[in-house]
Amino acid sequence: METWWYSIKEYTRGPVGVDELSRLFIKGTLTPSTPVWREGMDSWARFGEVAELGVIAKSIPQPPPNNGCTG
């Protein structure tokens, strides 16, 4: 299992697996611009720019547009 680290508000957190990154992305804790890193990478990269993680970002449905309905 690959282990990843991510950075939010100057704090580095990890190691976590891809399943945890996916859960955090779905929850909204991570965004496509969240810096992530794993061993073997030259430097930190944005979550959405890492090919293997970008698939996660693209698989999450976007919320529907606000059409003026209040529910």
Side-chain angles (χ1 to χ4, degrees):
M1 175 179 91
E2 290 184 337
T3 54
W4 291 85
W5 284 260
Y6 61 94
S7 180
I8 298 177
K9 297 182 181 179
E10 298 115 29
Y11 293 100
T12 301
R13 298 198 169 96
V16 297
V18 172
D19 290 343
E20 180 66 5
L21 286 180
S22 180
R23 186 187 73 74
L24 291 167
F25 189 85
I26 291 168
K27 185 179 174 183
T29 303
L30 304 181
T31 69
S33 63
T34 301
V36 295
W37 180 86
R38 69 167 167 75
E39 190 171 332
M41 292 176 64
D42 292 332
S43 62
W44 288 77
R46 292 175 186 220
F47 185 100
E49 295 173 353
V50 177
E52 59 201 282
L53 300 179
V55 172
I56 295 169
K58 291 176 184 172
S59 70
I60 306 302
Q62 296 297 314
N66 183 350
N67 61 3
C69 296
T70 58

